[in-house]
Structure formats: C-alpha cells, structure tokens
Amino acid sequence: MKLKYVIIYAFIVVFSLGAKADKLEALRTNKKIISMSEAQAPYFAIQIIALKLPPQAPEFFRNVDMAREYRCDDGYLRFCVGEYNSYNEAKAAIESVKAMGYDQAFVVDTRKYAIDGSYAKGSSVKSSKKIDPDKVYTVQLSAFRFPVYLSHFENIDDVMEFRMKDKIFRYTTGQFKGDIAEAELQRIKALGYKDAHLVELDKYMPFKIE
C-alpha cells in the first residue's frame, strides 16, 4: 500500500515539473538579434543583409552572435552588426565582416534609416508621454527577434517574457506604480541596461508567456 502512494506521489511530482517546462526551450538561442525602434548612438554600423520577411531561425545568422534589426518603411528588415563612432572606423571593419560570408556588407549611418513609425507605435516602445502616477509600469530590458535564455539577464531576478503581435520577444522586470517607476528605471539602467525604458504593464499582459 505504501509503495502505491509513493508511485502516485512520484507521478504527481513528475507531472508538475512537466507542466512548468519551458515552452520555448527548443527555440531559445544565445544569439542576440536585437529589435530596434530607433537609431541609437553610436550610429555607424555595417549592414549585412536586408530581407522582406524575417528569418525563421537564429541559425540564419551564420557567424554572427549579435545583430540589430531595423524595420524600415519600405517594407524591408535591415540587419546590422557592430557599433562605430565614425564612418572610417566602420569601414576598417568591413573586410572582416565580408570574410564571415556577408560579401554584400557595407557601412551605414543608422540615423538615415526610414524606420517604420507605425511599427514603432504599435510595439509599445519608448514613449515620451508623461508618467501617470495611477498606472502600473514595468521596465523593458530588451527586445529580440528570437527568444533568449533568461540567464542572459544575469543580475535581474524577476524577468517577464512577452511575445507581442509583431512576433518580437520582449523582456521586462518589475511592476511599479507611476510615482516610483522613474526611480526604478534609473536603478535598472545603473545595472547596465542603458536602453531600458518604461512601458504600461496592462498593454503587455495579454502577450505574456507563462
């Protein structure tokens, strides 16, 4: 009889662990394909490819562990590597990028990209609106084309993961009322997340990945 209860208990434990399994485990990657809603300094980069449709797997980016993605208003997604303070600095790195297989790579000033404004607006990206003390905010840490391992956020404990309508994965931390949200944002930035910004939590919750 005791053995029967032990078996039942073991089954419950295994089932419980299975229920909590990572739904995105098979898709996660160490590659950081960062979704950009605006050009940010340093502005010079090397464009490696422009696509009409987003890639379906991180393996598409051979030999590249980090790239920035810009959705432009001509319908193309443009992918860049490197961050350079000047055109000449970027040009000096061109040959090494071409050697990785991107023979059409060239230097760009990302400020000249015509970024799709409707996409940026619909993505709940950085907002210039005044903080409402009655609303609840969360701090967005990053946005990626593919889901990353949560260990990427090594100094953040409570990371929430969302997949929005634009199929971009967004990662946030915390739930803060408007009167303390700005102070929390500055604390997160001090941890090294210089591009972190506040978003309204209720606009993200329908897209949360449990």
Side-chain angles (χ1 to χ4, degrees):
M1 182 64 68
K2 289 183 179 180
L3 179 60
K4 177 181 178 181
Y5 286 121
V6 169
I7 293 173
I8 292 174
Y9 176 76
F11 175 79
I12 293 173
V13 170
V14 170
F15 179 81
S16 176
L17 290 174
K20 295 179 181 179
D22 184 355
K23 295 179 181 179
L24 299 175
E25 183 177 6
L27 300 175
R28 294 197 188 279
T29 177
N30 286 315
K31 291 183 181 291
K32 309 298 187 301
I33 311 303
I34 305 169
S35 178
M36 305 293 294
S37 61
E38 61 183 4
Q40 296 179 4
Y43 297 107
F44 290 95
I46 298 173
Q47 181 176 308
I48 57 173
I49 198 168
L51 302 171
K52 270 289 188 179
L53 297 174
Q56 299 303 305
E59 290 74 20
F60 178 89
F61 296 93
R62 60 189 187 280
N63 302 323
V64 171
D65 291 326
M66 181 176 292
R68 289 177 289 169
E69 171 189 314
Y70 297 86
R71 184 184 294 263
C72 300
D73 62 9
D74 62 356
Y76 278 90
L77 294 164
R78 290 178 166 82
F79 296 88
C80 298
V81 296
E83 296 177 293
Y84 306 97
N85 293 312
S86 69
Y87 175 88
N88 287 336
E89 184 181 342
K91 186 177 179 181
I94 277 283
E95 292 307 317
S96 62
V97 173
K98 288 185 175 181
M100 293 191 298
Y102 300 98
D103 55 353
Q104 301 299 314
F106 60 92
V107 175
V108 294
D109 181 341
T110 56
R111 290 171 294 188
K112 295 183 179 180
Y113 280 155
I115 296 174
D116 187 343
S118 62
Y119 162 76
K121 182 178 180 181
S123 301
S124 298
V125 295
K126 295 182 183 179
S127 173
S128 58
K129 292 182 180 179
K130 185 177 179 181
I131 300 299
D132 186 334
D134 296 321
K135 289 185 177 180
V136 176
Y137 296 85
T138 184
V139 178
Q140 181 168 307
L141 304 167
S142 299
F144 298 114
R145 166 59 58 186
F146 306 106
V148 299
Y149 295 101
L150 298 188
S151 57
H152 168 73
F153 308 99
E154 57 184 17
N155 50 0
I156 303 290
D157 294 326
D158 56 337
V159 176
M160 293 184 287
E161 186 172 38
F162 304 86
R163 191 186 190 210
M164 312 299 280
K165 287 182 178 180
D166 58 10
K167 311 303 182 186
I168 297 294
F169 292 87
R170 290 176 170 80
Y171 297 85
T172 79
T173 184
Q175 301 180 34
F176 312 110
K177 288 294 291 292
D179 54 349
I180 65 169
E182 186 63 35
E184 291 296 331
L185 172 61
Q186 297 309 316
R187 181 181 67 82
I188 296 299
K189 284 189 172 184
L191 295 176
Y193 298 93
K194 62 183 181 66
D195 297 326
H197 56 280
L198 295 174
V199 294
E200 294 178 21
L201 183 60
D202 63 351
K203 292 183 178 179
Y204 272 39
M205 287 306 293
F207 306 99
K208 186 178 180 182
I209 298 172
E210 298 293 349

